[in-house]
Amino acid sequence: MNSRNDMNPERRDLSLVPAATVRSARTGTRRWSRRRGVVSVFSALAVVGFAGALVAPTGVALAEPMQSDAPDSAYSLALADTQNLTVTVSGAAITPVERGTFEVYVKPKPKPKPKPAATAATGSQGGSSGGTLPPYSGGGAPADWMAAAGIAQSDWQYVDYIVSRESGWNPNATNSSSGACGLVQALPCSKVPGNGYDPVDNLRWATGYATGRYGSWAGAYSFWTNNHWW
């Protein structure tokens, strides 16, 4: 018996270990194996989750289409340029807006051109108003003018009385207020056929006026002495 036990020392040593100790060692070995298996499973799951976390954003980015920039429009540009105005109601002091200055150029009005001097004009039957007719410069005497106008010498005294008081025998006499002209102050001057400043034309017209209104030069003289006009 002893010789066999000496030949197998390990077996001899095991036979000396209590049965409870052997059973406990086997149980611990089984528990450690289970723990290692659980840890291995959790480690594998952690690796898979970490890999999924890395791949997920890339996959989402690849799945979503890239958004193209919207083209600029007049509304978007105007919206970008708008000012953000804040209105305060609490009575805060508001700094007045500084306005720039500007100058306004007013074009001066051109000077009016001088009007050309009025030229004398006469009609076929009557002259223009006094002042527009050429003055008389032909010379002569009252007797010559009355004779040329066809006035009878018996009426010369009446004619002389009226003409002396109307114009002083000045053929170019003109009333500045009424425009009457000539020896007998014809009013208006345009009634005289020809030129109202011409003494013969003026007396010829006066003869027709005296006879047509007063019947004769004598009747015109009588009216003038009573009224101081005719």
Side-chain angles (χ1 to χ4, degrees):
M1 292 292 294
N2 293 332
S3 59
R4 292 181 180 176
N5 290 334
D6 294 335
M7 293 177 65
N8 193 352
E10 294 179 358
R11 187 173 182 181
R12 187 182 56 186
D13 294 336
L14 292 174
S15 61
L16 296 178
V17 177
T21 304
V22 173
R23 192 179 298 109
S24 177
R26 291 177 181 177
T27 303
T29 302
R30 291 192 187 101
R31 289 179 180 177
W32 182 85
S33 299
R34 291 177 182 177
R35 289 178 181 177
R36 186 175 61 179
V38 172
V39 170
S40 299
V41 172
F42 278 106
S43 298
L45 292 177
V47 171
V48 173
F50 181 73
L54 293 177
V55 175
T58 306
V60 173
L62 293 176
E64 294 180 357
M66 297 181 64
Q67 296 181 357
S68 60
D69 295 337
D72 294 335
S73 62
Y75 173 77
S76 62
L77 294 177
L79 185 62
D81 292 338
T82 55
Q83 297 180 357
N84 184 13
L85 301 179
T86 303
V87 180
T88 59
V89 190
S90 59
I94 300 177
T95 305
V97 179
E98 296 182 359
R99 299 182 180 272
T101 60
F102 61 91
E103 296 180 357
V104 178
Y105 174 76
V106 179
K107 186 178 180 180
K109 294 183 179 180
K111 295 181 179 180
K113 296 181 180 180
K115 295 182 180 180
T119 57
T122 57
S124 58
Q125 297 296 329
S128 301
S129 60
T132 60
L133 299 173
Y136 178 74
S137 60
D144 299 332
W145 298 334
M146 288 187 287
I151 301 174
Q153 291 186 1
S154 58
D155 293 329
W156 285 8
Q157 56 182 336
Y158 307 124
V159 176
D160 179 65
Y161 183 88
I162 295 175
V163 172
S164 296
R165 286 157 179 76
E166 289 289 341
S167 64
W169 286 100
N170 179 11
N172 296 319
T174 304
N175 190 312
S176 59
S177 60
S178 66
C181 69
L183 294 178
V184 298
Q185 291 293 283
L187 183 66
C189 192
S190 58
K191 285 185 176 181
V192 179
N195 188 346
Y197 292 114
D198 186 283
V200 177
D201 292 342
N202 195 280
L203 289 174
R204 188 180 291 118
W205 172 84
T207 299
Y209 175 77
T211 56
R213 185 177 178 89
Y214 305 107
S216 63
W217 274 107
Y221 162 78
S222 177
F223 183 87
W224 205 104
T225 56
N226 293 325
N227 301 279
H228 304 287
W229 61 274
W230 74 310

